[in-house]
Amino acid sequence: MKIAVISDIHGNVLALEAVLADLKTEAPDLIVNLGDCVSGPLWPEETATILRDTGWQTVRGNHDRVLIETPVGKMGPTDAFAAERLSSVNLAWLKTTEPTIRITDEIFLCHGRPDNDDIYLTEKIEGPKGHMPDEDTILEAVQGIDSEIICCGHTHIPRLIRLEATGQMILNPGSVGLPSYQDDHPSRHKMEVGSPHARYAIMTKTGTTWNFLQKSLTYDWDAASDEAKKNNRPGWARSLKHGFYGPLS
Ligand SMILES: [Fe+2]
């Protein structure tokens, strides 16, 4: 059994196309998407059109939820850019996403924490940056989820964590389309993975054993950066080109 796990595409259709090409080689049995599909100053409508056709089981990210629930006038610029360009058919598709998905007894999918799409599971914010939380913090966050494997996104930082107390594995595949960003929740901080590659993960079960592969793909990140610059988002342009965010604003 081979499962591809993708997350946080954020409207970066060029990065998504690189992942799709790689998936042809990997030929997984199943592909799942952990959300934040289209928000960002890039290609939201084109990304949604591709995703709508895939039939992938898709979790609703915090940004997807904003697009579904919030009036455009109350959105930040990242979501508003997508909302203003998303066709009704693609918005209807976005509404079919689910807050969490249990694809088998063994595998649970969420965007942030199982109970909250806007709180990190695999990072803890202290000061202007994140770091890996201690095991007790993660155990508390996944309380009530007995799946052997929990897949989450939201942080854009790839991680694989094994909880010693339960043997559960937490997989965060990182972000397909946005390698670093600044955010104000819960306090102003930045996340940066340090290179501009498109990330996703493959998990493979052989017998009773799972193995995990974190992938980092080269794509035309200069073109993605140019598109963000054209759409007046210099922070995104810098992030897409380098994988570092730069100074907090
Ligand atoms: Fe995201």
Side-chain angles (χ1 to χ4, degrees), residues 41-93:
L42 298 172
W43 301 277
E45 175 66 3
E46 294 85 345
T47 301
T49 298
I50 290 173
L51 292 176
R52 181 162 53 85
D53 275 352
T54 62
W56 297 343
Q57 294 190 65
T58 299
V59 170
R60 184 174 300 168
N62 57 306
H63 285 282
D64 304 322
R65 176 173 49 75
V66 168
L67 291 177
I68 292 166
E69 294 178 353
T70 310
V72 177
K74 292 193 172 172
M75 292 179 186
T78 296
D79 295 316
F81 184 95
E84 285 161 356
R85 287 158 181 81
L86 213 54
S87 61
S88 55
V89 66
N90 280 335
L91 181 60
W93 164 77

Side-chain angles (χ1 to χ4, degrees), residues 12 14 41-43 81 219-242:
N12 189 339
L14 300 184
L42 298 172
W43 301 277
F81 184 95
Y219 77 101
D220 191 352
W221 48 67
D222 287 339
S225 175
D226 288 347
E227 185 70 11
K229 194 183 291 176
K230 190 182 90 186
N231 292 320
N232 301 311
R233 295 298 300 274
W236 274 68
R238 191 170 58 241
S239 168
L240 288 162
K241 205 178 187 71
H242 304 294

Side-chain angles (χ1 to χ4, degrees), residues 8 10 36 63 111 154 156:
D8 294 276
H10 282 279
D36 276 9
H63 285 282
H111 180 71
H154 192 36
H156 298 207

Side-chain angles (χ1 to χ4, degrees), residues 145-159:
I145 309 295
D146 58 6
S147 305
E148 187 183 327
I149 297 171
I150 299 171
C151 300
C152 67
H154 192 36
T155 67
H156 298 207
I157 307 293
R159 284 201 190 277

Side-chain angles (χ1 to χ4, degrees), residues 103-245:
I103 54 173
T104 65
D105 284 349
E106 227 176 344
I107 301 168
F108 181 89
L109 312 178
C110 56
H111 180 71
R113 288 184 2 174
D115 62 345
N116 192 318
D117 63 25
D118 210 12
I119 300 180
Y120 299 141
L121 179 58
T122 51
E123 300 289 328
K124 183 177 183 183
I125 301 304
E126 275 177 342
K129 284 193 173 187
H131 61 84
M132 195 178 72
D134 59 35
E135 183 175 0
D136 285 346
T137 302
I138 301 176
L139 277 169
E140 194 183 330
V142 302
Q143 217 172 21
I145 309 295
D146 58 6
S147 305
E148 187 183 327
I149 297 171
I150 299 171
C151 300
C152 67
H154 192 36
T155 67
H156 298 207
I157 307 293
R159 284 201 190 277
L160 181 65
I161 297 168
R162 182 177 182 275
L163 299 176
E164 188 63 30
T166 62
Q168 290 170 296
M169 301 294 301
I170 317 282
L171 172 69
N172 187 324
S175 169
V176 170
L178 181 63
S180 64
Y181 61 89
Q182 172 180 311
D183 194 74
D184 283 340
H185 183 73
S187 57
R188 182 156 296 186
H189 64 278
K190 62 182 176 181
M191 286 288 172
E192 46 190 9
V193 75
S195 90
H197 296 78
R199 260 95 174 171
Y200 82 102
I202 298 271
M203 20 187 237
T204 307
K205 190 176 191 184
T206 309
T208 57
T209 304
W210 284 99
N211 285 312
F212 300 85
L213 174 66
Q214 303 267 16
K215 304 202 78 168
S216 307
L217 307 180
T218 299
Y219 77 101
D220 191 352
W221 48 67
D222 287 339
S225 175
D226 288 347
E227 185 70 11
K229 194 183 291 176
K230 190 182 90 186
N231 292 320
N232 301 311
R233 295 298 300 274
W236 274 68
R238 191 170 58 241
S239 168
L240 288 162
K241 205 178 187 71
H242 304 294
F244 288 92
Y245 188 78

